[in-house]
Amino acid sequence: MERFKIREVKAREVLDCRGEPTIEVEVITETGIVGRASVPSGRSRGMHEAFELRDGGKRYHGKGVLKAVRNVNEILAPALKGMDVTKQREIDELMIELDGTEDKSKIGANAIVGVSLAVAKTAANALEIPLYRYIGGVNAYILPVPVLNLIEGGKLAATDLDFQEHQVMPIGAKSFSEAIRMGLEVYYELGRILMEKHGKYSLNVGVEGGYTPPGMKDPREALELELKAIEELGYTNKFALSLDCAATHLYNRNTGKYTLMGKEITREELIDFYEDLVSAYPIQSLEDPLEEEDFEGFRELTKTLNVQIIGDDLFATNIKRLRKGIEMKAANAILLKVNQVGTLSEALDVAELAFRNGYGVQVSERSGQTEDTWLADLTVGINAGQIKTGVTRSERTAQYNQLLRIEEELGKRAKYAGKNFKQPF
Ligand code: PGA
Ligand code: ZN
């Protein structure tokens, strides 16, 4: 049918939230139906991610994506012309074949994922249904727990904190909208507490809108103050705490040691530190507590700590790595970043494999996010039960706002994942 037949695919260079170039793709059908998607980009990247093609040279300090744009316009567009926009898997497989490399380095994973997502959005538009329903069908109804990054550290902020994200999870809310309200109230209250203790500069925010208190070094202090804000609002027991440790970036491959609070420590010492943290604080989730190759260590932590252990850099949304993790019982959840793998179909496979093996799925932004809200739709589409996308700044709140719209549209059928964020059924 003409309505679904791809007439044109075109890409352009736009900006992500950091002001760095990224790729945006439009897919247009014969009857003029358009879908547009833009591609986020990470800074705290894992080494097993699919290849992000950048131009190099002087322009935009080497970060331009004109080569990726050209690859869409000159290689992918002619190949996709005439195809049915609802044949997502066929289109994704064709792009994988045209690229021909393991990590999508010929055409660029950023080029391919831009087309893949734009194809899905166009298909939803052609069918006149929302994207989350296109992805999830009749059974897309679970609203995720927002994992709010209230205090930033690591590679994403100019602070002395080693861990990347000190998060709160409003698991005791009754609905997504209540969760967002409670989460933001804690954010304001925490701002007040931080200002009193660490001065006005602590209200400066990092890449994801979380605070960046100067002089704060100890992750325990960040957790303490988050808890204090939660308690002062009377929300004790309604929130869990969580961390993205992004430990790959604290690890020195030459010495085999981690650096935490200015001190070199062994992997065993770091594991002990987590055991203490989890017994001292109401932590329910740890992302990348160890470096990206330490499947053994992930297994040990998963066995000993009774919390969600998420593999981000560990799995890199890669089905082979997830399979290895499942076999070894390393981690019990995966961070799902579509651009780490490069097509929507592959990301959906990864999520499905995770769920079928009792693993949780947390859908995630990148630090270089865009205002495009496919992330929110994907989260409901797969009933993930959890989303992390920072806290403030428009590219983050755009996701939350889209989830508020979806919640409203689902009405009584919407179910908030709450305490069951890992297996929300
Ligand atoms: P990134 O960071 O988007 O820069 O990779 C986020 C994360 O590590 O989860
Ligand atoms: Zn991470």
Side-chain angles (χ1 to χ4, degrees):
M1 270 213 322
E2 297 300 283
R3 186 176 179 77
F4 299 106
K5 208 167 158 186
I6 296 175
R7 184 179 73 201
E8 204 181 334
V9 178
K10 62 177 184 195
R12 66 175 67 88
E13 188 180 61
V14 295
L15 298 176
D16 71 21
C17 66
R18 305 169 299 194
E20 294 177 9
T22 190
I23 187 165
E24 174 174 275
V25 179
E26 271 165 23
V27 172
I28 307 162
T29 70
E30 288 292 349
T31 57
I33 293 161
V34 186
R36 176 194 292 153
S38 56
V39 179
S41 162
R43 177 174 298 155
S44 164
R45 298 165 54 83
M47 69 177 165
H48 299 285
E49 297 192 17
F51 186 82
E52 187 182 73
L53 183 60
R54 299 269 177 193
D55 297 338
K58 278 201 177 138
R59 193 175 167 274
Y60 277 120
H61 287 203
K63 292 180 176 164
V65 292
L66 294 180
K67 284 182 187 162
V69 165
R70 210 174 313 131
N71 287 349
V72 172
N73 294 343
E74 291 172 12
I75 303 173
L76 300 179
L80 266 52
K81 193 173 159 56
M83 286 182 85
D84 182 326
V85 78
T86 62
K87 301 262 162 68
Q88 183 76 37
R89 190 160 292 271
E90 211 174 297
I91 291 171
D92 285 347
E93 278 170 9
L94 175 65
M95 293 195 289
I96 291 167
E97 207 182 291
L98 285 170
D99 177 84
T101 67
E102 187 71 18
D103 61 353
K104 303 187 175 65
S105 52
K106 184 168 164 242
I107 291 175
N110 44 344
I112 292 173
V113 82
V115 175
S116 182
L117 291 163
V119 161
K121 287 177 85 174
T122 311
N125 291 346
L127 290 162
E128 296 180 349
I129 55 173
L131 182 61
Y132 72 90
R133 198 147 5 112
Y134 177 63
I135 293 171
V138 290
N139 209 36
Y141 70 108
I142 298 207
L143 270 291
V145 170
V147 182
L148 300 153
N149 178 11
L150 299 195
I151 299 181
E152 298 197 42
K155 277 186 126 116
L156 303 187
T159 63
D160 299 320
L161 285 161
D162 299 305
F163 293 157
Q164 198 166 282
E165 305 186 25
H166 308 77
Q167 308 152 329
V168 302
M169 303 171 70
I171 54 172
K174 290 198 176 55
S175 63
F176 177 76
S177 41
E178 189 180 64
I180 280 294
R181 172 179 60 74
M182 289 164 63
L184 270 297
E185 286 170 5
V186 170
Y187 178 74
Y188 313 146
E189 183 66 14
L190 178 63
R192 193 189 60 72
I193 294 169
L194 282 171
M195 184 143 123
E196 259 172 29
K197 197 157 176 220
H198 287 273
K200 63 180 180 182
Y201 295 117
S202 54
L203 297 188
N204 285 335
V205 298
V207 167
E208 302 185 357
Y211 299 121
T212 58
M216 193 187 287
K217 284 196 173 70
D218 192 329
R220 288 167 294 197
E221 194 194 345
L223 297 172
E224 284 298 342
L225 297 184
E226 286 181 347
L227 262 190
K228 190 164 183 240
I230 289 166
E231 278 160 14
E232 279 182 15
L233 294 171
Y235 290 153
T236 315
N237 300 327
K238 298 222 164 183
F239 277 82
L241 301 181
S242 53
L243 292 168
D244 177 7
C245 308
T248 299
H249 307 290
L250 308 176
Y251 184 66
N252 182 334
R253 216 160 281 287
N254 297 322
T255 61
K257 292 201 171 152
Y258 292 87
T259 303
L260 190 66
M261 290 181 271
K263 253 180 63 188
E264 279 222 312
I265 60 170
T266 63
R267 163 180 181 264
E268 286 64 37
E269 286 169 320
L270 185 57
I271 289 177
D272 289 345
F273 184 73
Y274 291 130
E275 283 175 5
D276 292 345
L277 273 188
V278 168
S279 58
Y281 299 97
I283 291 175
Q284 289 203 15
S285 181
L286 291 177
E287 179 186 331
D288 281 352
L290 296 165
E291 59 96 8
E292 63 200 330
E293 299 294 21
D294 192 0
F295 279 84
E296 269 301 327
F298 269 81
R299 173 169 67 173
E300 197 178 322
L301 278 175
T302 308
K303 208 167 111 199
T304 53
L305 305 180
N306 190 24
V307 300
Q308 174 171 264
I309 304 288
I310 307 177
D312 171 12
D313 293 348
L314 179 77
F315 295 136
T317 316
N318 177 307
I319 203 151
K320 288 187 191 145
R321 293 184 69 82
L322 176 62
R323 219 171 261 135
K324 178 174 170 186
I326 290 166
E327 273 160 26
M328 289 184 65
K329 297 192 164 59
N332 53 28
I334 185 168
L335 204 73
L336 194 76
K337 289 171 165 169
V338 182
N339 80 322
Q340 277 182 334
V341 59
T343 62
L344 179 61
S345 305
E346 288 167 290
L348 293 174
D349 283 350
V350 166
E352 183 92 19
L353 180 68
F355 283 135
R356 287 192 185 197
N357 286 279
Y359 274 53
V361 176
Q362 186 171 106
V363 176
S364 171
E365 42 76 66
R366 303 307 305 249
S367 50
Q369 191 59 40
T370 73
E371 66 277 20
D372 193 340
T373 55
W374 56 260
L375 192 78
D377 280 78
L378 173 65
T379 309
V380 180
I382 62 170
N383 290 324
Q386 34 185 336
I387 184 171
K388 81 158 186 175
T389 180
V391 58
T392 60
R393 303 181 31 149
S394 296
E395 72 282 1
R396 323 271 152 197
T397 52
Q399 311 301 332
Y400 297 134
N401 292 342
Q402 176 71 354
L403 287 164
L404 291 169
R405 284 178 211 113
I406 295 174
E407 181 182 58
E408 183 185 287
E409 187 184 286
L410 285 169
K412 284 205 181 83
R413 283 169 301 147
K415 183 178 154 195
Y416 178 58
K419 293 192 167 70
N420 302 323
F421 58 87
K422 194 164 156 276
Q423 287 296 328
F425 293 103

